Amino acid sequence: MSLFILKRLATLIATLIGASVIVFLVLEILPGNAAQLLMGPDAAPDAVAALAAKLGLDQPAWTRYWQWIAGLLTGNLGDSYAYSTPVLDLILERLALTVPLALLAMALTTVLALLVGVTAAARHNKLGDVGLMGLTQVGIAIPNFWFAILLILVFSVQLQWFSAGGFEGWGEGVFAGIKSLLLPALSLAVVQAAILARITRSAVLEVMREDFVRTARAKGVSQRAVLWTHVLRNAMIPVVTVMGMQFSELLAGTIVIEKVFYLPGLGRLIFEAIGNRDLIVVRNCVMLLAALVVIVNFVVDVLYAVIDPRIKASDI
């Protein structure tokens, strides 16, 4: 198990190094000058050059890359061009909303998908199965921003159960915070839950044909116990695989949903930083999202080994 984890850690580090090079180079080749944009089109060339020197933009690219990597390792991400505040403080402040939003969306996705997928498999080829699969098809086809607007119209405008947007902060209490994030999380979850439910149904149906399931039924184990204890555990490998990829998509999806619900999260920070050409913020936010994706995949790989020990044995 230790060798398995070490190999995965080596892959994780190599992927992060490659991602950092790609992120840096992509932002380097973008047209325009950040110092010129901050000073305005009418700024004197000397003033623009002075600001570029102050921001370190006049140094060679490889020098700035190594300075950036050193800053990442020491927690010094520099100051935002637009806000004149440490980038790390900006990111931590926004993560306090984005991470709970993504986790809540992932929790909704998992609960909805397992309920729908297992229920549909238990009623295979019956009316309930056809109806649930039809609903998942609709869920996959709905764009999450359109579903977000629909939720606002129904639950905020008509029923007035939730606010239409905004976030007052966790200082108002955990319940108030979760209530503010519920509609955005549901907007993010509906598509992912529909996809995961179909995969869960297929995986459960495949496992239900195994001999040990027939043995459990022959011993008098109830259908519910067979499904939720014997079948679901063995059907989790493809489900966990997709869940890992979906968490990455949920993090990326917050850029649009935070804009729709006017939430001050990481996605909105990236959106604003791109508009302000605040490249130092964009670079660090994108790298953070890439790191989160890689770490989630690492956790998924370890979960494989926990769920099915044959995987780590064959990998080593």
Side-chain angles (χ1 to χ4, degrees), residues 5 17 115 131 150 170 174 184-185 188 204 209 213 222 251 260 273 304:
I5 293 177
I17 293 173
L115 282 175
L150 181 65
W170 294 109
V174 175
L188 288 166
V204 168
R209 301 187 184 100
V213 176
S222 66
L251 282 172
V260 173
Y304 287 166

Side-chain angles (χ1 to χ4, degrees), residues 1 5 18 24 33 39 57 61 82 102 116 134 156 174 176 183 253 260 310:
M1 186 67 174
I5 293 177
F24 185 83
N33 183 309
M39 295 290 291
L57 300 176
V116 172
S156 300
V174 175
L183 291 186
V260 173
R310 293 172 299 177

Side-chain angles (χ1 to χ4, degrees), residues 130-145:
V130 175
L132 289 173
M133 288 303 98
L135 285 176
T136 60
Q137 194 64 46
V138 174
I140 293 172
I142 294 177
N144 57 12
F145 70 88

